[in-house]
Amino acid sequence: MNVLLWFKRDLRLADHAPLAAAATARRASAVFIVEPLWLGSPEFDPQHLAFALACLAPLQRRLAGRGLALRVEVGEAVA
């Protein structure tokens, strides 16, 4: 089984069912996408992005410790 783990708004690792599935997968990848739609939404505040980006480096380190690389992309997740 191949797994793509998409970290969207929930960047925690504890009690994360998709992460548990990734741990048992033959191949797994993880991604966080900064979506322009989110950046332009009425509920968005620059502090949201700053917080998310600040969380990504520790998340990348913790995932790497589990053998899972986290890619960070900018763009629309769904065409």
Side-chain angles (χ1 to χ4, degrees):
M1 166 177 67
N2 296 329
V3 172
L4 175 61
L5 182 56
W6 178 11
F7 285 93
K8 188 165 173 102
R9 300 285 187 265
D10 183 0
L11 301 180
R12 65 191 169 88
L13 295 181
D15 191 30
H16 198 281
L19 182 59
T24 64
R26 182 172 52 90
R27 288 183 43 200
S29 299
V31 66
F32 178 85
I33 305 171
V34 178
E35 299 174 85
L37 186 63
W38 175 49
L39 301 177
S41 68
E43 71 273 359
F44 175 78
D45 185 280
Q47 290 179 349
H48 298 148
L49 180 60
F51 179 77
L53 294 177
C55 292
L56 290 177
L59 180 63
Q60 283 178 312
R61 284 192 300 273
R62 292 182 67 196
L63 288 172
R66 297 176 181 214
L68 186 62
L70 175 66
R71 290 183 54 175
V72 179
E73 301 286 339
V74 177
E76 295 298 333
V78 180

